[in-house]
Amino acid sequence: MRAVVFTAEGQLSLEERPTPTPGFKEILIETAAVGICGTDTHVFDGEFEGTVFPLVPGHEATGTIVALGEGVNSGVFDFKVGDHVAINPSTTCGECEFCLNGHQNLCRFWNGLGVVASDGASQEFFTAPAGNVYKLQPETDLYEAALIEPLACAIRGWDVLPRRIGDHVLVYGAGTMGLLMAQLATRAGAATVSIVDLNQDRLTVAEECGIELRYTSADDADREKWDVVIDCTGNLRAIEDALTRVKPAGFFQDFGVAPADGTAKFSPFRVYRDEISIVGTMAVLNSFGRAVEMFEAGAINAKAMISHSFVLDDYEEALELFRRGSGRKLQIRPNDTESRVLIP
């Protein structure tokens, strides 16, 4: 089979490899689609903590089961060859302080498929632990369902926010995560949802996803402050601006991934005086199953969010397109026959 491999920091190749054999309680999956996200660029550039090269990237994945390892169905599972599935890429040790205290996403030995030390899904076939594999309904679109992993991250984001009926929510950034957080906002009880992005094309996608209040600057909105402000950009200037938009007793969430050594300026006095809550959110925590159910219930407009698909040969092109901020969600479809523009 063929696989994209990050051979070293800043280097990739397309390799022929043996098809993996599933081990004890592992499942072999034929890859349908795997999304590209900012984490992939951080991994490729050697900026993600703990990455071990060589590594097959790809952590937002769906596919079809082709083989079951020994012991997969010896407990609660009932997987079958031919099942359509989505994969939670996060694996944890189950033994450290954070795992034992219910914060597995902060595990000191956290490992993400295609991110740290286990190969991901940018190959024709890949293996995953049975406990990380989730069945999909037969009618669920396997390509669109690759958005379930980022949706699970967005649900985790809302888990640490207040979810009060009638709040006004402002989201910075209309990329994949911003669009997901904004679409979930009404499900979380928001009275209004506003989104800010400098890229007008992304605001067009936001409109297609049902987000009515769209701006290139929060200064253009009909209000000055919001109950909940979420940064999905990781841009330090955006974060600094976003913090000034939070109402007294409101919440600011740092969702986007800022540079590890970056610092943002804010007023500690205002945080104190106005009782501003600042919260972070990291990956997935007990939210993947809910993401499957929310996706299959139609909570997001997946079709509007995916603009390009690429075969393995064009992985480098896809990565460069992502870096330029072009298109919408970009996917690798390892078993497809040609790259496609799905939404011009």
Side-chain angles (χ1 to χ4, degrees), residues 179-295:
L179 292 172
L180 291 174
M181 291 299 285
Q183 288 177 85
L184 289 179
T186 52
R187 300 269 181 158
T192 66
V193 184
S194 304
I195 196 163
V196 173
D197 200 296
L198 297 176
N199 187 326
Q200 188 60 53
D201 290 339
R202 289 188 169 183
L203 293 181
T204 298
V205 186
E207 181 179 16
E208 293 175 25
C209 291
I211 302 162
E212 294 184 3
L213 303 174
R214 306 172 304 278
Y215 311 102
T216 54
S217 169
D219 291 332
D220 298 332
D222 60 358
R223 62 177 56 248
E224 295 181 356
K225 305 287 184 181
W226 286 259
D227 302 288
V228 177
V229 179
I230 304 165
D231 177 72
C232 293
T233 70
N235 180 283
L236 297 178
R237 289 182 61 189
I239 290 168
E240 290 173 346
D241 186 67
L243 278 161
T244 69
R245 310 289 181 173
V246 185
K247 275 185 180 180
F251 283 73
F252 170 76
Q253 182 169 82
D254 190 357
F255 192 107
V257 181
D261 58 352
T263 57
K265 295 180 181 179
F266 68 98
S267 168
F269 177 81
R270 181 167 176 262
V271 171
Y272 144 76
R273 174 63 182 82
D274 288 346
E275 291 194 344
I276 304 298
S277 297
I278 300 176
V279 296
T281 177
M282 162 62 184
V284 173
L285 179 63
N286 301 325
S287 56
F288 205 92
R290 286 180 288 153
V292 171
E293 294 187 358
M294 290 290 283
F295 181 86

Side-chain angles (χ1 to χ4, degrees), residues 4-344:
V4 169
V5 182
F6 290 172
T7 54
E9 180 181 321
Q11 300 177 29
L12 66 82
S13 67
L14 185 59
E15 297 182 3
E16 287 286 344
R17 290 185 164 193
T19 300
T21 299
F24 182 70
K25 290 196 173 182
E26 285 189 336
I27 295 176
L28 178 64
I29 298 157
E30 180 180 15
T31 310
V34 54
I36 289 182
C37 86
T39 298
D40 298 306
T41 63
H42 290 304
V43 170
F44 181 70
D45 294 337
E47 298 172 349
F48 198 94
E49 182 181 13
T51 296
V52 178
F53 298 107
L55 180 75
V56 175
H59 60 279
E60 301 178 0
T62 56
T64 302
I65 293 177
V66 294
L68 303 175
E70 182 184 353
V72 165
N73 288 331
S74 61
V76 299
F77 298 125
D78 182 28
F79 290 112
K80 299 179 180 64
V81 170
D83 282 346
H84 290 179
V85 294
I87 293 81
N88 175 4
S90 296
T91 61
T92 59
C93 75
E95 299 177 1
C96 71
E97 171 191 357
F98 298 98
C99 285
L100 295 177
N101 288 332
H103 294 282
Q104 295 92 329
N105 60 324
L106 303 181
C107 173
R108 298 299 88 178
F109 304 95
W110 184 89
N111 180 23
L113 304 182
V115 177
V116 180
S118 298
D119 284 340
S122 294
Q123 51 187 331
E124 293 178 306
F125 299 89
F126 70 101
T127 58
N132 290 62
V133 178
Y134 290 75
K135 282 188 185 182
L136 302 174
Q137 298 294 331
E139 63 272 17
T140 298
D141 188 296
L142 261 181
Y143 300 119
E144 294 176 4
L147 284 167
I148 287 173
E149 193 277 341
L151 179 60
C153 295
I155 290 173
R156 168 58 186 164
W158 276 105
D159 282 348
V160 296
L161 285 168
R163 292 179 289 173
R164 297 175 300 216
I165 300 296
D167 272 355
H168 298 279
V169 175
L170 172 63
V171 177
Y172 277 66
T176 298
M177 297 315 308
L179 292 172
L180 291 174
M181 291 299 285
Q183 288 177 85
L184 289 179
T186 52
R187 300 269 181 158
T192 66
V193 184
S194 304
I195 196 163
V196 173
D197 200 296
L198 297 176
N199 187 326
Q200 188 60 53
D201 290 339
R202 289 188 169 183
L203 293 181
T204 298
V205 186
E207 181 179 16
E208 293 175 25
C209 291
I211 302 162
E212 294 184 3
L213 303 174
R214 306 172 304 278
Y215 311 102
T216 54
S217 169
D219 291 332
D220 298 332
D222 60 358
R223 62 177 56 248
E224 295 181 356
K225 305 287 184 181
W226 286 259
D227 302 288
V228 177
V229 179
I230 304 165
D231 177 72
C232 293
T233 70
N235 180 283
L236 297 178
R237 289 182 61 189
I239 290 168
E240 290 173 346
D241 186 67
L243 278 161
T244 69
R245 310 289 181 173
V246 185
K247 275 185 180 180
F251 283 73
F252 170 76
Q253 182 169 82
D254 190 357
F255 192 107
V257 181
D261 58 352
T263 57
K265 295 180 181 179
F266 68 98
S267 168
F269 177 81
R270 181 167 176 262
V271 171
Y272 144 76
R273 174 63 182 82
D274 288 346
E275 291 194 344
I276 304 298
S277 297
I278 300 176
V279 296
T281 177
M282 162 62 184
V284 173
L285 179 63
N286 301 325
S287 56
F288 205 92
R290 286 180 288 153
V292 171
E293 294 187 358
M294 290 290 283
F295 181 86
E296 295 189 327
I300 64 169
N301 183 349
K303 189 174 294 295
M305 293 179 63
I306 304 168
S307 64
H308 294 71
S309 69
F310 296 87
V311 294
L312 291 174
D313 302 83
D314 296 333
Y315 187 95
E316 193 165 8
E317 178 187 343
L319 205 60
E320 288 306 312
L321 190 67
F322 178 88
R323 288 187 190 276
R324 295 199 301 268
S326 300
R328 304 182 183 188
K329 188 66 176 178
L330 312 180
Q331 289 187 340
I332 305 300
R333 298 181 180 179
N335 291 286
D336 215 343
T337 57
E338 62 180 352
S339 297
R340 295 178 170 88
V341 178
L342 307 173
I343 300 176

